[in-house]
Every structure is written in structure tokens, then in C-alpha cells.
Amino acid sequence: MEQKIKVGIIGVGNMGSGHANNIKNGLCPEIELVAVADINPDRLKWTRENISEDIALFDDAIKMLDSGLIQACIVAVPHYDHPRYVLECAKRGIHVMSEKPAGVYGKQVREMYKELEKYPDVKFGIMFNQRTNDVYIQMRNLIQSGKYGNIRRVNWLITNWYRSQGYYDSGAWRATWSGEGGGVLMNQCPHQLDLIQWICGMPNLVDCHMHFGKWHDIEVEDDVSAYMEYPNGATGVFIATTGDAYGTNRFEVQMDKAKLVVEDNKLRLWEFDMTEQEFSRLSTTNAFAQMHITEVPVETAEPSPEHPKVLNAWVGAILRGTPMVADGIEGINGLTLANAMHMSARLHKPVTLPMDDDAYYVELKKLIATSRRKPETASVYSDTSDSYHGV
Amino acid sequence: MEQKIKVGIIGVGNMGSGHANNIKNGLCPEIELVAVADINPDRLKWTRENISEDIALFDDAIKMLDSGLIQACIVAVPHYDHPRYVLECAKRGIHVMSEKPAGVYGKQVREMYKELEKYPDVKFGIMFNQRTNDVYIQMRNLIQSGKYGNIRRVNWLITNWYRSQGYYDSGAWRATWSGEGGGVLMNQCPHQLDLIQWICGMPNLVDCHMHFGKWHDIEVEDDVSAYMEYPNGATGVFIATTGDAYGTNRFEVQMDKAKLVVEDNKLRLWEFDMTEQEFSRLSTTNAFAQMHITEVPVETAEPSPEHPKVLNAWVGAILRGTPMVADGIEGINGLTLANAMHMSARLHKPVTLPMDDDAYYVELKKLIATSRRKPETASVYSDTSDSYHGV
């Protein structure tokens, strides 16, 4: 006597149709997909033909939200509209799962949060599916356990988000200031920007060099080199691009008493006999003394589909009050990192956090004003099932 | 009927005594160590007791150079004095091998080069021993072959130069502005700063964050995060510290048609089917298309003692005119990178290259004026044979 939540999806483009397929394929046993909304009739036709004939189809999201058919809704529209539809759901008491990022600029998201306070019963989640990857869960647990002291250095080389020109040409809104409000930081890296803050906390300074349309014919950034400083004095570097044909995903955290590296979806841990500070103080006789280090094997669960886990935890929260993978409210952190990187690159100087969201919005509006957003053409739908390479 | 070059060493501290031991142990068959000079009588005593009773001992380098005993000389004194002794050798027609770095600031080194033009017959080499490591030789050959197109991204995480406080306390000149003119960039990383320019060429912009005495009680930098831009548009990051107890040495170069990584003293190479640019242009139908990549095994020679190879090539140049490992003239490049990083960190802004050597000297003099150089104490000698961890 399984209870199911009646769910709708706003936007069955690349991401929305992936969710629809996962539900159809039985990966979300507590979800019944009852409706979808899309402004593109081709995508509604696709849904009828590929998912089910029994799904209610709407050419307008608001009509779907007002239909009374759904208890919960997945928002999978372009980034600028995430906060708007989240609020439209909340106002109607409809639980909501937003695709990442939470929005395009902090001001927009903070205003949404303020409004959401009126609807405390609505379960609002955000699709940070990489938080379900066991290598990151265990890395976070180890780091936050306290047994290894403080973080000293963070280094994430995340350059394996390769995208060809064909990708950017597949949708008129893609990689434009007016359509997405950014490039690799807004579309591909929200996962890593969320994970880095989830695991290491927020920096208080960001200094960033950024290149716009360096590897593609686009107006937004496709190459980012960011430096960060943390409140405890740790430093970090975050390097991202969609231009490297065979990039790297290597995340290293140096701590007082351990080193952790995630690469090729494996977590490696080296423990030190004592903290570096103790060792340094005690090593007075041999100037070239080196610490004794032990690699400790860490067992992590095999990768498995991540998006259904986020949806299942969300309906679990609705049905039973169990925790979500990522509360929507946490979306502001990764977004703030992206905004700070953009702000720093635009102003050619470091940006301190908490950042001035109003000032960033002013900068963003200037960019939007220059946007050469392509004339609306039929979007090309792509199967993304191979593209979530979180490793 | 082997011909030997009669060699002297100025300074038998950590590095000089390592060279003396290598010569004594037969690793430099064309070198006869006939004299050493050191201002510290204990080190002369050490030489007599540990190397040979037949070596002429001098308490003054100039007396050794004037003695007529030596044809060639190794300069292994603190950094500031490298150019001075190189010139004292050259003036007397004595071939000279300088320890790295070439000097402390570009102005000093350029003035030395100008003066050296008067002595074209003197073979002047510099101890960039890591250039003899086959992984870097092959990496350089592959990159410079032209078959993989241009460099796009350089990333060197070189944080495995750990030093305890005991190291810094072992010599009064160590890690002081007046004694060394810098920290990890001047003492440990000259190797990597040379290799990065030897393999990838010189950048034209350097932007650097640096922390001084962050992990140790010292006045100079022990933590560096530098960003670089190259004339062809490539970007790079160079991260260095002596504060990480179990750091990393990972050097990655992304090219149009290949990726190369050196880590754990292994070179890995991935070749692409075509350049990224071609692939991007051709991939119009599948927005998430990814290039076909092939890892190509690269055989590299086993590591072997590096310093003797540099000395042997130098005497080969003297005896037979064969190439040196590193011409002394090339020392300016790595030094310029270090100076540019210091300049950028001091001024809190990017520095463009070629840099203003006079301006840097002004900045350095300010730092020297603040130097709390420790009162002269007996230096502690340390066996460095385990500390040249080039991997």
C-alpha cells in the first residue's frame, strides 16, 4: 500500500526529460508523474510518446500549478526562471524541487528566500545530485569529523566539463548573459561550487581571472581560474573550463593531520602521525625531517544514478519528514561563489564575502544589456544520460 | 688516459658537501676535487676528515681562485653571492657551475650576464639538476615537438617541499630577506620555476597571492598561489608551499591535441583523435559529444642521481664542447618568475613581463631593510641526500 506523491515537471528539456525517464523507469517508486508543462509543443509530444499517454500536458506552467493535479513539482527551466517558479509552487502549497543553480544572482535568490518564509510547510529541495556521491559524502564526513584539525589548502581542478560548439548552438538561451547569466560557472559547475562549500565551508575572499568565449563562440565565461581565502586562513584554487577536450576532475584538501584527494571517482586518504604544527615544533635536530604518513583505504559505495536519489529524498521529506539531500536554501552558497568569481573578474580585484548582491546585480544588468542572445530557434534536444560525469 | 678537470668548491655547506661526496664516490669520473673554500673552519675540517686529506683548504674563496690550483669551480654559497663568485671565477678564466638560483633579483643577474660577455670561453652552468629527470625531458620533447598543437593550460601543484621549523632554524641566513631574499620560491622551487619555463615557455603576466611566515616562524613566503597568462593565450597556475606535511607534486599540461601529467615521477600522455578545435567544429549533431582519447604509454628512464649528471655535462662542455644540462644564462627565466610573483604579491596586482627589474630591486631593498636576520650562529649541517625529492 505504497503512498505516491503526484508530481509535475515544468520544462521537459534536457534535464526535465531525464527526470521523466527516471520516474517512468521505476527509479522513484514514491513518485507518480501526472503532468508536465512546456512552452515547446514538440516536448509535450515527446512526453506523450515516450513517457506516457496518461500524463496531463500543459503549454503553460501556471495552468498546471492551478490544475489541482499535482502535490509537488520539479522546476527544470532555464536558470533565470528557477526562483519565479519555485515561488509560484510555494504560493500554492506545492512542494518544489528546483534544478541548479538556485537562480542567477544572489539578490534574486535572497528575495525568493524571504518570500518563501511565508510557506514553511513547503518542502523545497535543490538538485545537487553530486551530494549523493559517496566519495564526497565520506570526504565531507572525514573533514568535518574534526579528527584531522583544520583545512589548510583546497585545490579543485574541474576541467572535464567539455562542451563542443554544437552544445552551445543547441539552444538560443545557452551561454548568453540574458539566457543563462553565465557560462561554465552557471551551467556546469554549480555542482562543484556547491560541493566545495558543503565540504570546506565558504571562503571570505575570492580573486578570479576569467575568459569569455575563449574556446567557443559564446559571450559568457568558458575558462575560470579562481583563488580563495577562508576565514581560518586556508587558501584554495578552483579551475574550471568547458574547453579542455580531456580535462581533469581532481579535488585535493590538505589538513593539519591528513590529506584527502578525490580523482577518478576514488577517495584517497593519507593520515599523519601528528599535526604538521606538532611535527614542526618537535623536529629540531634534522633539518630535512619528514613526517611519517600512512595511506588509509577508504571504502566508498559504487556510483549509482544520482538524480533519483535526490527526488526520492525529497518525497521522503514530504511523506515522512526525513532529510532531503540538499535543502533549497543552501543553493545560495554555490551561487554566491559563482557571483563572486564573476564580480572579481569584472572588477579585476578581489571580492570579499559576504558579497554585495546589489552591486553584482548592477554588473550583471550591464552584461545583459550587451547580450547578443541568439534569435529563438528550435532548441535541439539531447540525451544527457551520459553527461553527468560527476567523476 | 682519462683527462680530469681540477675543480674547487666554494662553500661546503649542505649542497657543496653533497657535490664533494658525489665526486669522492666516483660519480664524476672527469672531475678531480682539488680544493675547497669555506669561511666556517668546521666545514673545512669536515672536508679533510670526510672527503680527503689531499684537498687544499681555503678560508677565503678568492685565495682559492688565485691559487692556480683549479680550472673550474662550483659555487655553493648563499644565493645573494652566486653572481659575485661566478664573476670572480670568470675573470680568472675559471669555468664555473653555480648553484640555483642564478641570483636573488633580476637586476643583479642581468648585470652579471653583461659582465660575463667579456669571458666567452668560460663554461658557465647552473645546477638545474631536475632537467636531467627523464620524465621532464620527455614531457618537454613531446610538448615542443609541435604534434599536439599549442599549450592551453598549465597546472603545477608543487607542495611537497615540506620543511620543519628546525630547517629554518638551522642557518642564520635561511628564510630571511637579507640572507636569501625569499622563501619557497628562492630556495626550494627554483627547480620547478626553471622546468615550467623550460617546458612551457615564459608567461607574459603573473598574478600572485603569497603568505609570509604562514606555517613557520620566518619572515619570507612559505605559501604561494600564482596565476599566469602566456603569449598564446594559455593560462597557468603554480601553487607552492613548504608547509604541507604531505604535499603533492603534480604537473599537468593541456594541449590542443593531448594532455600530459607528471605525478609520482611518472609521465602520462593522452592523445586526442584530433585537435579540440576541429572536434568542436565538427560536433554539431550531439550537443554532449566527447572526443575519443587514447592513453599512450611513455617509457621513461629510472631516476638516477641528478647532480653528478649536471657536473659531468659541464666538464664535458669544458673538455669536448658538448652541451651542458643548463647554460647559466638560462637562470634568469625561473628567477624572473619568482621575482614577478613577489612583485605581484607585494603590489597586490598583476605584473606584466618582461618585468621592471629596477622596480623589483627597489621593493626587495625595502624588505631587506625590515629583515630580522638572526644573529650569526653556528650553522647546522644537514645531510640533504634524501631531500632532492624531485618527484
Side-chain angles (χ1 to χ4, degrees):
Chain A
M1 219 194 72
E2 205 166 56
Q3 198 184 347
K4 291 205 180 206
I5 297 289
K6 292 179 193 304
V7 167
I9 301 176
I10 307 177
V12 277
N14 293 346
M15 296 307 303
S17 55
H19 299 312
N21 268 319
N22 285 334
I23 296 166
K24 175 192 170 195
N25 294 331
L27 300 180
C28 303
E30 295 181 319
I31 292 180
E32 184 184 357
L33 183 62
V34 296
V36 306
D38 202 302
I39 53 173
N40 180 346
D42 290 343
R43 300 307 304 151
L44 296 177
K45 184 163 172 278
W46 175 91
T47 305
R48 192 173 58 239
E49 290 172 1
N50 291 277
I51 304 299
S52 165
E53 294 207 343
D54 299 331
I55 291 175
L57 305 177
F58 295 88
D59 60 3
D60 178 329
I62 301 299
K63 287 186 206 159
M64 179 176 77
L65 299 180
D66 284 338
S67 69
L69 290 174
I70 64 173
Q71 300 165 274
C73 183
I74 300 166
V75 174
V77 296
H79 315 331
Y80 275 104
D81 287 335
H82 291 172
R84 174 182 150 212
Y85 285 118
V86 167
L87 279 179
E88 294 291 352
C89 291
K91 280 181 198 169
R92 292 165 174 84
I94 294 171
H95 305 289
V96 58
M97 170 60 62
S98 174
E99 265 299 334
K100 50 81 201 166
V104 173
Y105 50 100
K107 179 180 165 69
Q108 176 191 36
V109 172
R110 289 190 198 280
E111 285 170 4
M112 169 179 74
Y113 290 169
K114 182 114 195 83
E115 193 66 14
L116 281 173
E117 286 173 11
K118 298 180 192 164
Y119 313 101
D121 296 335
V122 167
K123 297 293 178 187
F124 165 40
I126 184 163
M127 186 53 72
F128 286 138
N129 49 282
Q130 292 203 17
R131 284 198 195 184
T132 68
N133 184 331
D134 200 39
V135 298
Y136 297 119
I137 293 171
Q138 295 214 36
M139 186 186 210
R140 180 175 189 257
N141 289 345
L142 288 166
I143 288 173
Q144 299 194 351
S145 70
K147 67 192 279 203
Y148 300 126
N150 286 314
I151 293 175
R152 323 176 121 218
R153 189 181 314 284
V154 176
N155 193 283
W156 204 332
L157 184 59
I158 171 66
T159 56
N160 72 339
W161 281 117
Y162 182 68
R163 293 293 181 263
S164 67
Q165 187 62 38
Y167 166 82
Y168 290 111
D169 295 341
S170 71
W173 54 277
R174 281 206 189 283
T176 60
W177 292 116
S178 57
E180 285 200 281
V184 63
L185 293 182
M186 294 307 296
N187 194 304
Q188 285 76 33
C189 282
H191 293 297
Q192 285 78 33
L193 293 172
D194 174 61
L195 289 174
I196 203 171
Q197 70 81 27
W198 189 57
I199 294 170
C200 302
M202 285 291 279
N204 56 355
L205 179 142
V206 172
D207 196 11
C208 184
H209 290 268
M210 202 175 266
H211 299 264
F212 304 91
K214 180 174 185 173
W215 308 112
H216 308 91
D217 181 20
I218 54 174
E219 65 195 34
V220 295
E221 85 284 357
D222 55 3
D223 201 290
V224 174
S225 303
Y227 166 82
M228 296 173 288
E229 291 181 0
Y230 291 82
N232 78 343
T235 59
V237 163
F238 186 88
I239 313 287
T241 187
T242 53
D244 287 353
Y246 186 64
T248 296
N249 183 353
R250 185 183 184 281
F251 181 23
E252 171 174 322
V253 178
Q254 277 279 348
M255 305 190 69
D256 289 337
K257 224 185 144 191
K259 164 173 155 178
L260 299 95
V261 176
V262 170
E263 188 172 8
D264 298 329
N265 210 37
K266 283 201 191 77
L267 171 61
R268 296 183 71 183
L269 166 70
W270 293 266
E271 291 184 348
F272 311 162
D273 277 4
M274 60 189 88
T275 66
E276 185 281 318
Q277 292 90 332
E278 282 176 274
F279 182 78
S280 183
R281 204 171 47 238
L282 296 174
S283 304
T284 51
T285 53
N286 174 8
F288 294 97
Q290 299 293 320
M291 181 96 82
H292 183 254
I293 309 290
T294 310
E295 181 165 6
V296 178
V298 187
E299 290 282 325
T300 53
E302 284 297 305
S304 58
E306 296 177 345
H307 298 81
K309 288 187 231 174
V310 179
L311 294 179
N312 293 339
W314 171 57
V315 292
I318 296 168
L319 289 168
R320 294 174 294 277
T322 46
M324 289 190 285
V325 169
D327 193 302
I329 295 295
E330 295 174 35
I332 190 69
N333 291 335
L335 178 64
T336 296
L337 290 177
N339 288 178
M341 290 176 191
H342 270 117
M343 190 78 170
S344 165
R346 283 280 294 171
L347 303 185
H348 301 290
K349 64 178 189 185
V351 165
T352 53
L353 272 57
M355 73 178 281
D356 182 340
D357 286 329
D358 291 330
Y360 181 66
Y361 185 49
V362 169
E363 286 300 315
L364 180 61
K365 278 192 291 191
K366 289 183 207 165
L367 291 166
I368 292 169
T370 69
S371 185
R372 53 163 179 159
R373 182 170 176 175
K374 293 153 271 186
E376 282 297 339
T377 51
S379 288
V380 178
Y381 164 73
S382 297
D383 181 351
T384 61
S385 53
D386 288 334
S387 78
Y388 313 131
H389 56 154
V391 296
Chain B
M1 224 195 67
E2 204 166 56
Q3 197 184 348
K4 291 205 179 203
I5 297 289
K6 290 179 194 305
V7 167
I9 301 177
I10 307 177
V12 277
N14 293 346
M15 296 307 303
S17 56
H19 299 312
N21 268 319
N22 285 335
I23 296 166
K24 176 192 168 191
N25 293 331
L27 299 180
C28 303
E30 295 181 318
I31 292 180
E32 183 184 358
L33 182 62
V34 296
V36 306
D38 202 302
I39 53 172
N40 181 346
D42 291 343
R43 300 307 304 150
L44 296 177
K45 183 162 172 278
W46 176 91
T47 305
R48 193 173 57 240
E49 290 172 0
N50 292 276
I51 303 299
S52 164
E53 295 207 343
D54 299 331
I55 292 175
L57 305 177
F58 295 88
D59 60 3
D60 178 330
I62 301 300
K63 287 185 206 160
M64 179 176 77
L65 299 180
D66 285 337
S67 69
L69 289 174
I70 64 172
Q71 299 166 276
C73 184
I74 300 166
V75 174
V77 295
H79 314 331
Y80 274 105
D81 287 334
H82 292 171
R84 173 180 150 212
Y85 285 118
V86 166
L87 279 179
E88 293 291 353
C89 291
K91 280 181 196 168
R92 292 165 174 82
I94 294 171
H95 305 289
V96 58
M97 170 61 62
S98 173
E99 265 298 336
K100 50 79 200 167
V104 173
Y105 50 100
K107 179 180 165 70
Q108 176 191 37
V109 173
R110 289 191 199 279
E111 285 171 3
M112 169 180 73
Y113 289 169
K114 181 115 195 81
E115 193 65 16
L116 281 174
E117 287 173 9
K118 298 179 192 164
Y119 314 101
D121 295 335
V122 166
K123 296 294 178 187
F124 166 40
I126 184 164
M127 186 52 72
F128 286 138
N129 49 282
Q130 292 203 18
R131 284 200 195 182
T132 68
N133 184 330
D134 200 39
V135 298
Y136 297 118
I137 293 172
Q138 295 214 36
M139 186 186 211
R140 179 174 189 257
N141 289 344
L142 288 165
I143 288 173
Q144 299 194 352
S145 70
K147 67 191 280 200
Y148 300 126
N150 286 314
I151 292 174
R152 322 177 123 219
R153 189 181 316 283
V154 176
N155 193 283
W156 203 332
L157 183 59
I158 171 67
T159 56
N160 72 339
W161 281 117
Y162 182 67
R163 293 294 182 263
S164 67
Q165 187 63 37
Y167 165 83
Y168 290 111
D169 295 341
S170 71
W173 54 278
R174 281 206 190 284
T176 60
W177 293 114
S178 57
E180 285 200 280
V184 62
L185 294 182
M186 294 307 295
N187 195 304
Q188 285 75 34
C189 282
H191 294 296
Q192 285 76 34
L193 293 172
D194 175 61
L195 289 173
I196 203 171
Q197 70 82 26
W198 189 56
I199 294 169
C200 302
M202 286 291 279
N204 56 355
L205 179 143
V206 172
D207 196 11
C208 184
H209 290 269
M210 201 175 267
H211 299 264
F212 304 92
K214 180 174 186 174
W215 308 112
H216 308 91
D217 181 22
I218 55 173
E219 64 195 35
V220 296
E221 86 283 358
D222 56 2
D223 201 289
V224 174
S225 304
Y227 166 81
M228 297 173 287
E229 290 181 0
Y230 291 82
N232 78 343
T235 59
V237 163
F238 186 88
I239 313 287
T241 188
T242 53
D244 287 353
Y246 186 63
T248 296
N249 183 353
R250 186 183 183 281
F251 180 24
E252 172 174 321
V253 178
Q254 277 279 350
M255 305 189 69
D256 290 337
K257 224 184 145 194
K259 165 173 155 178
L260 299 96
V261 176
V262 170
E263 189 173 7
D264 298 329
N265 211 38
K266 283 202 192 77
L267 171 61
R268 295 183 71 182
L269 166 70
W270 293 266
E271 291 184 348
F272 312 162
D273 277 5
M274 61 187 88
T275 66
E276 185 280 319
Q277 292 90 332
E278 283 176 273
F279 182 80
S280 183
R281 202 171 50 240
L282 296 173
S283 304
T284 51
T285 52
N286 175 6
F288 294 97
Q290 299 293 320
M291 181 96 83
H292 183 254
I293 308 290
T294 310
E295 181 165 6
V296 178
V298 187
E299 289 282 325
T300 53
E302 284 297 305
S304 58
E306 296 177 345
H307 297 81
K309 288 188 230 171
V310 179
L311 295 179
N312 293 339
W314 171 56
V315 293
I318 297 168
L319 290 168
R320 293 174 295 277
T322 47
M324 289 190 287
V325 168
D327 193 302
I329 296 295
E330 294 175 35
I332 190 69
N333 291 335
L335 179 63
T336 297
L337 290 177
N339 288 177
M341 290 176 190
H342 271 118
M343 190 80 171
S344 166
R346 284 279 295 170
L347 304 185
H348 302 291
K349 64 178 190 183
V351 164
T352 54
L353 271 57
M355 73 178 280
D356 182 340
D357 287 328
D358 290 331
Y360 181 67
Y361 186 48
V362 170
E363 286 301 314
L364 179 61
K365 278 192 292 190
K366 288 183 207 164
L367 292 166
I368 292 169
T370 70
S371 185
R372 52 162 179 160
R373 181 171 176 175
K374 293 153 269 184
E376 283 298 338
T377 52
S379 289
V380 178
Y381 164 72
S382 297
D383 181 350
T384 61
S385 52
D386 288 334
S387 78
Y388 314 132
H389 56 155
V391 297

